[in-house]
Amino acid sequence: MAIDRRREAAGGGPGRLPPAAEENGALPPGDAAASAPLGGRAGPGGGGDIQPLPAPHAAGGPHPSLLLLDYDGSVLPFLGGLGGGYQKTLVLLTWIPALFIGFSQFSDSFLLDQPNFWCRGAGKGAESAGVTATGRWGGGDLANGTSPPTTLFPAAPWGTTGPLGNGNGSAADGGEAPPLPSPPDKGDNVSNCDCHAWDYGIRTGLVQNVVSKWDLVCDNAWKVHVAKFSLLVGLIFGYLITGCIADWFGRRPVLLFSIIFILIFGLTVALSVNVTMFSTLRFFEGFCLAGVTLTLYALRIELCPPGKRFMITMVASFVTTAGQFLMPGLAALCRDWQVLQALIICPFLLTLLYWSIFPESLRWLMATHQFESAKKLILHFTQKNRMDPESDIKGVMPELEKELSRRPRKVCIVKVVGTRNLWKNIVVLCVNSLTGFGIHHCFARSMMGHEVKVPLLEDFYADYYAAAGIALASCLAMCLAVRFLGRRGGLLLFMILTALASLLQLGLLNLIGKYSQHPDSGMSDSVKDKFSIAFSIVGMFASHAVGSLSVFFCAEITPTVIRCGGLGLVLASAGFGMLTAPIIELHNQKGYFLHHVIFACCTLICIICLLLLPESRGQSLPESIPDGEHYTRQPLLPPRRGEQPLLPTHAELKDYSGLHDAAAAGDGLPDGATANGGRPM
């Protein structure tokens, strides 16, 4: 049969095991020796029994020994898996910077929060010109003085919510904090924007932030949004560029140089003399932050056996969320935005020690055939773990000695264009990541925006901790969903929840609003607001999980030789999704409804496309592009015995007619039989 012929062409013999699980796809005859599934599938626990490998190729052949390329099946067990003390130390070292990354990612909420402001010298009882909505999760632009009349603070003195900055109305002048003024109308906003100096009521625990430092209100309010997306644009470019560099030169140099430059640019941000300098330096800070985030993510994945990858990644996500929770305390401790910026960046000084502690990714060295460097690193691992060299029962080191003269083979992410399945998987995950992070802003604005007038959600800290709590709950739910449904099933579940929340919010709420206009309907605006909050919470919860799982899924199905490049594409797509928030704020919320409708339609497309992805739970990481190319989805129904596959590979298509071997096969045919095995009538 067709499957048996492919197995025989792949070198099947008495000592060769059958291929791994069928969800890794069929192998074309021409590439079977180079890209056969390595090590088989791990056991139910992820790090289960490793299948023995076939006899390796002779040294100096076209391909290195399969024993060396099967990292999860031979090299990692030889090093003790994650049970080695040195490996545990390295994983711990990848968790520590996740806290600092969380500080940097959420610093914009404090450095660039738009405070309330009023004309300087108007007195304590003056009206606040900008009870701003832009400082919230997506509000109006103050440049035209048309902010909606809403109160962003509870009815409490200024001193209890945020100190006054840059003005003469400080609570210290009279001993008592001034009462919270009522929101102004449009005329008051315009009259206060005619001033040349303002006093500010900052909500984030700081005495002064970037907005109050350079008076970024009224006609200069647009500069706040430019400063916000300068960090995001830096992250996008950083993910794309550092990902390619990490695949070519290695993870370790990219990580260490990114740490050095984030210290330089991050500390220089605190010394900015104007908003232009601030925005420019934030771009470069974001660029370097992307390099740190991406390389640590890849190193974390490549250190772990199949059963531990998701757990190790989720611990890092929890540490990042802890940084989000701690940011308000840091802001209240620092009191000034420059001190806060320096405090966020200075902890990266500790990671400079990684230069002498953290090694290059051994998996990447083996996948790119840098066997001489890999041998030194394996000896370093065995020395750190105090392992006996005689424990190498599979003969990894002897095979490594035979391949030392082989030249390295490095690959760039552009090679994925010539593949058949790999590019499709990456594109699907990019769209999922873009949709998840893009629609997250729509739900956040609906819950925390000015149109939902709920006192509990009209405070900066309530907004901030609500978002952080939803992110934490989403991470916990991901752990359960992935455990029982797998990667593809969990991602599909959260995408369906996101689509339902979005469609119900767009459709059902408009229907409720229509019927609430009738006095006898029994519906009021408060009912609509409660439904909006409920759908927004579900949407934020599910969309956060969609974005996070898309990134992790990409890290698992992308081959080691281009893993950082693939991660860079998906993370850059996530950055594009987050970039829509400041862009819409810059345009005074014009097009917000269309923005939500477009992303809601994208969720429906993503649900269909997710069915094309493979399931990677318990599978070995693909090492080369052919491995990733044959990492295809599992069919819904198992094929019958001897059934011809519906989608043959390119190599099968070339020989489908059987003309090439018809002459050779004709000698062994029975009398009266044709080349295809049939008999004439």
Side-chain angles (χ1 to χ4, degrees):
M1 297 301 176
I3 298 178
D4 296 330
R5 290 199 302 268
R6 288 197 302 275
R7 290 178 179 173
E8 293 174 2
R16 182 176 178 89
L17 291 177
E22 288 182 356
E23 58 189 27
N24 280 343
L27 298 178
D31 297 335
S35 58
L38 301 179
R41 179 170 180 170
D49 297 334
I50 304 299
Q51 300 287 349
L53 288 169
H57 293 282
H63 303 287
S65 170
L66 292 180
L67 185 70
L68 300 180
L69 296 183
D70 183 20
Y71 189 87
D72 287 320
S74 57
V75 180
L76 194 58
F78 167 59
L79 298 177
L82 203 58
Y86 188 52
Q87 288 91 310
K88 291 180 180 178
T89 303
L90 295 179
V91 170
L92 178 63
L93 290 177
T94 64
W95 287 341
I96 295 174
L99 182 67
F100 314 147
I101 292 172
F103 292 156
S104 298
Q105 286 180 343
F106 298 99
S107 60
D108 273 354
S109 300
F110 300 86
L111 300 179
L112 296 170
D113 179 70
Q114 288 191 340
N116 297 283
F117 64 95
W118 56 89
C119 290
R120 180 174 297 179
K124 294 181 182 179
E127 292 179 336
S128 60
V131 185
T132 64
T134 47
R136 299 176 55 79
W137 293 80
D141 194 346
L142 290 177
N144 52 11
T146 58
S147 296
T150 180
T151 303
L152 302 189
F153 296 97
W158 283 119
T160 61
T161 325
L164 293 174
N166 224 28
N168 299 325
S170 174
D173 293 342
E176 292 183 2
L180 178 69
S182 59
D185 55 21
K186 180 176 179 179
D188 291 328
N189 286 348
V190 174
S191 62
N192 281 284
C193 280
D194 292 335
C195 303
H196 299 287
W198 296 270
D199 291 329
Y200 297 91
I202 303 177
R203 312 175 303 160
T204 59
L206 297 173
V207 175
Q208 185 186 62
N209 68 356
V210 174
V211 178
S212 62
K213 172 75 173 179
W214 293 302
D215 292 330
L216 304 182
V217 294
C218 295
D219 291 339
N220 290 323
W222 62 272
K223 297 180 181 179
V224 177
H225 307 298
V226 173
K228 283 182 178 180
F229 67 72
S230 64
L231 180 69
L232 291 175
V233 173
L235 285 169
I236 292 172
F237 280 96
Y239 287 136
L240 294 174
I241 296 175
T242 59
C244 296
I245 297 175
D247 284 333
W248 197 261
F249 295 101
R251 284 73 163 123
R252 182 172 178 264
V254 173
L255 172 63
L256 298 176
F257 279 104
S258 297
I259 291 174
I260 292 173
F261 283 106
I262 197 175
L263 286 169
I264 296 173
F265 291 116
L267 293 176
T268 311
V269 167
L271 304 177
S272 300
V273 296
N274 53 46
V275 68
T276 303
M277 180 179 177
F278 176 85
S279 300
T280 304
L281 291 174
R282 287 284 280 181
F283 169 85
F284 291 106
E285 180 188 351
F287 188 98
C288 300
L289 182 64
V292 176
T293 305
L294 186 145
T295 51
L296 285 174
Y297 202 105
L299 285 168
R300 202 177 295 124
I301 290 287
E302 293 173 356
L303 276 169
C304 302
K308 305 295 183 181
R309 290 195 297 257
F310 187 73
M311 180 192 69
I312 298 299
T313 303
M314 290 310 301
V315 171
S317 298
F318 286 124
V319 175
T320 303
T321 306
Q324 183 179 1
F325 275 100
L326 293 175
M327 271 300 294
L330 289 181
L333 180 65
C334 295
R335 311 289 289 175
D336 186 82
W337 74 270
Q338 292 173 307
V339 179
L340 177 61
Q341 173 66 18
L343 186 61
I344 290 171
I345 297 298
C346 283
F348 282 103
L349 286 169
L350 299 176
T351 57
L352 289 177
L353 299 175
Y354 285 18
W355 187 275
S356 58
I357 299 176
F358 215 96
E360 183 55 84
S361 170
L362 178 59
R363 187 188 294 268
W364 176 77
L365 291 175
M366 300 290 285
T368 54
H369 302 175
Q370 302 181 65
F371 295 120
E372 186 173 356
S373 300
K375 178 187 175 182
K376 297 178 181 178
L377 189 54
I378 288 176
L379 294 176
H380 179 69
F381 270 81
T382 56
Q383 181 181 2
K384 288 288 185 179
N385 292 328
R386 297 178 181 178
M387 297 174 55
D388 185 4
E390 296 181 358
S391 62
D392 184 14
I393 58 176
K394 291 190 176 183
V396 174
M397 295 304 293
E399 290 296 330
L400 192 59
E401 292 285 349
K402 300 176 183 178
E403 304 289 348
L404 293 180
S405 60
R406 189 176 295 275
R407 296 181 59 184
R409 295 181 59 184
K410 300 178 181 179
V411 185
C412 184
I413 186 63
V414 296
K415 292 290 185 181
V416 79
V417 177
T419 61
R420 181 185 179 192
N421 296 314
L422 189 56
W423 74 269
K424 175 231 352 175
N425 295 336
I426 294 178
V427 168
V428 169
L429 291 174
C430 285
V431 176
N432 275 269
S433 179
L434 172 67
T435 303
F437 284 98
I439 203 170
H440 187 85
H441 164 68
C442 301
F443 292 122
R445 181 185 180 275
S446 298
M447 187 179 77
M448 304 173 186
H450 51 78
E451 71 273 16
V452 181
K453 305 176 182 62
V454 180
L456 180 61
L457 297 178
E458 293 181 355
D459 176 73
F460 171 81
Y461 292 106
D463 288 354
Y464 185 85
Y465 281 116
I470 291 172
L472 178 61
S474 179
C475 291
L476 293 173
M478 275 192 290
C479 296
L480 295 176
V482 170
R483 178 178 179 84
F484 293 104
L485 300 177
R487 277 64 158 157
R488 182 175 61 174
L491 185 55
L492 184 61
L493 171 65
F494 288 117
M495 183 59 77
I496 292 174
L497 289 177
T498 304
L500 288 176
S502 179
L503 294 175
L504 288 174
Q505 192 170 54
L506 291 172
L508 183 61
L509 293 185
N510 288 334
L511 185 63
I512 293 176
K514 178 181 178 181
Y515 281 101
S516 63
Q517 298 176 0
H518 300 284
D520 56 345
S521 63
M523 296 183 181
S524 61
D525 289 338
S526 62
V527 176
K528 179 181 177 181
D529 292 342
K530 291 178 181 178
F531 272 107
S532 178
I533 293 174
F535 293 146
S536 298
I537 291 175
V538 174
M540 291 177 66
F541 169 85
S543 60
H544 180 273
V546 166
S548 301
L549 272 178
S550 298
V551 177
F552 176 75
F553 209 160
C554 178
E556 283 199 320
I557 67 175
T558 306
T560 301
V561 291
I562 55 170
R563 179 164 293 119
C564 285
L567 272 174
L569 290 175
V570 176
L571 288 170
S573 300
F576 276 113
M578 292 185 287
L579 193 61
T580 58
I583 290 178
I584 288 183
E585 291 177 4
L586 183 61
H587 290 84
N588 196 21
Q589 301 301 323
K590 293 179 180 179
Y592 161 75
F593 182 78
L594 180 61
H595 168 237
H596 197 170
V597 170
I598 291 175
F599 277 117
C601 295
C602 289
T603 58
L604 300 178
I605 298 174
C606 290
I607 291 174
I608 300 173
C609 294
L610 282 175
L611 300 175
L612 302 175
L613 295 177
E615 176 55 60
S616 58
R617 179 173 60 175
Q619 298 291 329
S620 299
L621 291 177
E623 306 297 341
S624 62
I625 288 184
D627 292 339
E629 179 66 3
H630 301 134
Y631 208 71
T632 53
R633 70 179 180 88
Q634 183 180 12
L636 297 178
L637 296 176
R640 298 177 182 176
R641 182 180 180 88
E643 183 178 359
Q644 179 72 20
L646 296 179
L647 294 176
T649 59
H650 290 300
E652 290 173 325
L653 288 173
K654 294 177 183 177
D655 298 333
Y656 184 76
S657 62
L659 295 178
H660 295 284
D661 54 357
D667 297 334
L669 292 175
D671 294 337
T674 58
N676 59 3
R679 292 182 178 274
M681 298 299 294

